DNA sequence: CTGAAAGCGCTTACAG
DNA sequence: CTGAAAGCGCTTACAG
């Protein structure tokens, strides 16, 4: 079922069919209504669908953008996805998800970018050892969540996670907490490896206190793993009286583990999460969390489309700063 | 940067370059090592990447499969995604995610299938009012999670959710629970609309008892919403002594809401989830849940690739039956 | 062993 | 107002 079939059915040339079905308004406008209707009817009758590969080859546009992320997924990503879709739909674009796996397979996952399947991509989690420039060659627009990256035709989103995490930890120190534990992600593919943990350490350095290495655990990316990790912390001979987690997911698990043991939060055990997700709002007690103020992603999606239009525009830096949102868990 | 550039650089024809870089082994094999190396070196030097649109147009294969799902996402989907990726990679395929939105926008989301961007798709959540046949025309392989659907060239996965849900509810009835509440998904895009709820009702019908409509709430797809819904249930003048949730997520929220109120689970309030996710295992108490025994998706991924190879093979029905997994929450 | 050429199905500048 | 033709960049049957 091709353009040619429709042309024959309607008794016109493929040129005319193309103009009517996908062509420019300025061309179709000058055409008699009768012709347009005849073509439209023929296409309808035959159930014609344009061949995307041919169109892409000709126009050099796939009208697809990708959202590259490392599982496990979160409500935050659902939010970003939904907003991307709305803004993409306005431009006739569709959004696809691109799960990026453990670092050794990351390059394989990114083949979708490498092969030019999409016009643009928002890379939420840039695996370590991946050269963004490589993908910029085949993908017109690239927006990357990264704290330091600075590359000519690539726009970046900075969260200032390290400063945010330091503020969260400092808050606990100033409260007089003696034993402040840390729950890191276990999966090595991460938004900005080590940034958050560095912030935690910064606060100790600033206060002239040693980092309690024996209270640092992994598992924040998986609720089940986090529960296990927090239980082991609470079993420590000199247990923590506070916990900073790299995710709200991990912090929620900590609240659960504390409740199981009958430990009072925040009095005997303060908990701070990261991400400021809506899930934290409804925990009990509501979760204190460090994260972006609001989930408004429009600026970065618009930066992406602007770059797809004009690859030579200057690289843009979008700041979505983390700050501490005080609720009742700390 | 095209095949022609590489051909010139290496001093051979595009035919030869094509054979060396992507062509069939039987052709490249007969070629002198020297030629092959010269071509490979030229491609390397120029940083050649094949144009995907051109290749797709020629070969009629995109080497992409999609996983179409309705957010919010879950660990179950992460699991399916990871297994798909492993099996796809073996065949040189990549996997993309296709988030499907609320029903009125579903058709737009599915344009990626309609336009033939992928060779095959696994549709985890088929929105109501969507005609699968339409997408079968542009997508060679289609595997759909659906309880009833039966369409010529489409393979289906049946979970027998209704029977599973009835078994879960029956278990509570036989335990002597008097007031069995129900927590449904709020999002209307769902795996199999109404199936689970129908199972809940079946158990009552079977026991000759009326369904307690006043104890049916929505919110199972969102932890925050679920907490609110369960609180309102517990505030009911004649509160429930048990709850069946359409998701483990909702059941986990119920455990939390019960703990907040100091209600003993399962003695005063039994909770059963659905999905049998790993998260439920580490809840306190560990969550009783109805769902598939194991998360082994290989059969359905293989069915998908088999159909991509041979679109005329008979439609296959893959059963991953739900059953009740007894743990401590009910 | 290697290459010239056809063709996948579109879009669009150009001619009439 | 409409169409013939070029060309996007590959793959591959065929010829030599």
């Amino acid at each position: 079922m091709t353009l040619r079939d429709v042309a024959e059915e309607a008794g016109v040339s493929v040129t005319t069919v193309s103009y009517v079905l996908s062509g420019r308004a300025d061309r179709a406008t000058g055409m008699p209504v009768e012709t347009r209707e005849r073509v439209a009817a023929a296409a309808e009758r035959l159930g014609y669908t344009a061949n995307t590969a041919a169109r892409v080859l000709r126009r050099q546009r796939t009208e697809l953008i990708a959202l590259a992320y490392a599982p496990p997924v979160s409500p935050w990503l659902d939010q970003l996805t939904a907003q991307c879709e709305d803004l993409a739909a306005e431009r006739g674009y569709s959004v696809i998800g691109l799960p990026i796996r453990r670092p050794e397979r990351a390059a394989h996952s990114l083949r979708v970018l490498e092969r030019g399947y999409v016009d643009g991509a928002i890379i939420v989690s840039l695996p370590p050892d991946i050269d963004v420039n490589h993908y910029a060659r085949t993908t017109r627009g690239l927006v990357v969540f990264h704290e330091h990256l600075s590359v000519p035709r690539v726009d970046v989103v900075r969260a200032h996670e390290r400063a945010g995490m330091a503020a969260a930890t400092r808050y606990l120190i100033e409260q007089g907490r003696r034993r402040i534990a840390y729950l890191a992600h276990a999966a090595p593919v991460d938004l900005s490896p080590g940034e958050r943990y560095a912030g935690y350490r910064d606060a100790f350095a600033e206060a002239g206190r040693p980092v309690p290495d024996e209270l640092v655990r992994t598992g924040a990316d998986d609720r089940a793993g986090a529960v296990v990790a927090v239980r082991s912390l609470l079993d420590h001979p000199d247990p923590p009286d506070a916990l900073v987690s790299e995710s709200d997911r991990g912090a929620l698990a900590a609240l659960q583990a504390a409740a199981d043991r009958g430990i009072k939060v925040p009095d005997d055990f303060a908990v701070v999460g990261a991400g400021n997700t809506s899930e934290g709002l409804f925990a009990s007690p509501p979760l204190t969390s460090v994260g972006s103020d609001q989930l408004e992603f429009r600026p970065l999606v618009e930066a992406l489309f602007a770059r797809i239009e004009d690859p030579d525009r200057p690289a843009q830096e979008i700041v979505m700063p983390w700050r501490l949102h005080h609720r009742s868990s700390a």
Side-chain angles (χ1 to χ4, degrees), chain A:
Chain A
M1 186 51 45
T2 73
L3 216 44
R4 184 199 304 252
D5 297 313
V6 180
E8 271 171 25
E9 176 82 7
V12 295
S13 70
V14 295
T15 306
T16 299
V17 178
S18 179
Y19 280 139
V20 172
L21 295 186
S22 64
R24 305 160 330 192
D26 59 327
R27 279 345 204 84
T29 303
M31 216 174 267
V33 179
E34 196 275 325
T35 309
R36 270 185 282 165
E37 281 175 351
R38 189 149 40 92
V39 170
E44 175 72 33
R45 207 175 317 132
L46 299 181
Y48 172 75
T49 322
N51 179 303
T52 299
R55 168 178 283 174
V56 169
L57 177 58
R58 208 21 246 250
R59 303 214 306 202
Q60 313 280 47
R61 285 288 190 293
T62 63
E63 297 188 316
L64 235 41
I65 66 173
L67 220 48
Y69 63 90
V73 288
S74 65
W76 183 91
L77 186 72
D78 281 341
Q79 182 79 262
L80 172 57
T81 306
Q83 289 188 32
C84 271
E85 289 225 310
D86 285 329
L87 296 168
E90 290 172 9
R91 294 160 170 89
Y93 271 68
S94 298
V95 177
I96 64 170
L98 202 55
I100 300 183
R101 311 201 296 168
R102 48 190 186 286
E104 70 275 19
R105 305 295 298 263
H108 183 268
S109 303
L110 288 167
R111 280 205 329 210
V112 171
L113 301 189
E114 187 171 46
R115 294 189 173 176
Y117 283 105
V118 300
D119 291 342
I122 295 172
I123 301 180
V124 169
S125 338
L126 184 69
D129 307 323
I130 288 290
D131 178 15
V132 174
N133 282 294
H134 181 67
Y135 301 98
R137 294 212 335 247
T138 45
T139 308
R140 294 175 66 91
L142 236 32
V143 171
V144 184
F145 281 77
H146 200 281
E147 297 293 346
H148 309 300
L149 193 79
S150 177
V151 169
R153 289 144 181 263
V154 175
D155 304 297
V156 291
V157 182
R158 313 268 193 232
H160 297 169
E161 296 182 2
R162 181 169 179 167
M165 223 50 178
T169 310
R170 187 183 311 122
Y171 170 73
L172 294 170
I173 290 175
E174 287 171 357
Q175 267 193 350
R177 302 287 172 175
R178 287 178 45 252
R179 300 279 290 161
I180 304 172
Y182 189 79
L183 186 63
H185 281 136
V189 169
D190 194 12
L191 244 140
S192 46
E195 273 304 296
R196 301 182 192 183
Y197 181 55
Y200 166 76
R201 300 180 64 97
D202 287 347
F204 283 96
E206 198 180 277
R209 278 171 52 171
V211 175
D213 292 319
E214 74 282 11
L215 298 182
V216 175
R217 294 284 191 288
T218 58
D221 49 340
D222 167 41
R223 192 177 177 92
V227 168
V228 173
V230 175
R231 282 182 192 158
S232 96
L233 280 168
L234 296 174
D235 287 339
H236 194 277
D238 185 7
D241 58 358
L243 174 98
V244 180
S245 167
E246 286 196 350
S247 70
D248 274 5
R249 190 186 306 236
L252 257 18
L255 293 182
Q256 179 190 313
D260 291 355
R261 289 281 206 286
I263 295 172
K264 291 185 71 174
V265 175
D267 298 357
D268 301 328
F269 187 54
V271 177
V272 179
N276 192 33
T277 64
S278 59
E279 313 245 322
L281 287 171
F282 290 86
S284 67
L287 188 67
T288 294
S289 181
V290 58
S292 294
D293 283 19
Q294 72 319 309
L295 297 181
E296 171 53 54
F297 299 107
R298 178 181 287 270
L300 68 100
V301 180
E302 284 179 347
L304 181 65
F305 280 108
R307 182 159 304 281
I308 289 173
E309 301 272 293
D310 172 19
D312 295 323
R313 69 199 295 270
Q316 194 179 331
E317 181 172 305
I318 296 154
V319 180
M320 298 181 66
W322 275 18
R323 50 176 211 83
L324 189 60
H325 299 264
H326 295 278
R327 289 190 280 266
S328 317
S329 71

